[in-house]
Amino acid sequence: MRLSRLRLTYGGCMFVVIAAGLASRRYRDQLPAFVAEFAGDTLWALMVFLGVSLLMPNAPATRRGLAAIGFAFAIEFSQLYHAPWIDALRHTTFGGLVLGIGFLWTDLICYSAGVLAGVAADTAIRIRR
């Protein structure tokens, strides 16, 4: 697949995942409790994988997955750091969505699941070609 078409595919998938992630937050009262609790973080990590894939589409899926999980874990562990400037940023809508608010070890599991789902889907699609 041509590079521009591949990037367009990753970008389109990223848009769909962002919409699903935002919907999982907005309509959490209408979702099963387990899905409402963990879907947003899992989809966020999938979005990170797709973003990495958008930047380096020809890299092996495992390399893109490792980059995505490294980024996601770094963001989560950064939540252990508290200073007035970053806490103020985290309490904005955009800052909360990107940086999170507080460290949760369960988020690490969600991030792992989201990135793993992205790597698995990407690998399966590429093998079928």
Side-chain angles (χ1 to χ4, degrees):
M1 186 180 289
R2 287 187 339 188
L3 190 59
S4 60
R5 186 170 172 203
L6 193 55
R7 283 198 166 119
L8 186 61
T9 300
Y10 284 126
C13 289
M14 201 167 142
F15 177 78
V16 170
V17 169
I18 289 170
L22 292 172
S24 77
R25 298 292 189 198
R26 181 175 175 96
Y27 302 108
R28 72 180 305 137
D29 295 341
Q30 298 159 0
L31 297 171
F34 182 83
V35 174
E37 183 69 27
F38 301 114
D41 294 317
T42 305
L43 290 168
W44 182 85
L46 177 57
M47 184 266 316
V48 170
F49 172 76
L50 292 167
V52 169
S53 297
L54 188 67
L55 295 174
M56 38 193 244
N58 289 327
T62 52
R63 183 181 301 162
R64 290 180 280 130
L66 287 172
I69 202 73
F71 178 81
F73 276 35
I75 292 292
E76 189 64 26
F77 283 110
S78 78
Q79 293 171 26
L80 295 170
Y81 172 74
H82 293 281
W85 69 272
I86 198 163
D87 286 341
L89 183 61
R90 286 182 179 126
H91 287 287
T92 65
T93 301
F94 183 75
L97 288 171
V98 174
L99 299 175
I101 294 174
F103 179 85
L104 293 171
W105 68 269
T106 54
D107 287 353
L108 301 176
I109 296 170
C110 291
Y111 299 160
S112 298
V115 170
L116 185 61
V119 169
D122 188 84
T123 301
I125 289 168
R126 287 183 186 237
I127 287 173
R128 288 191 77 193
R129 286 194 189 131

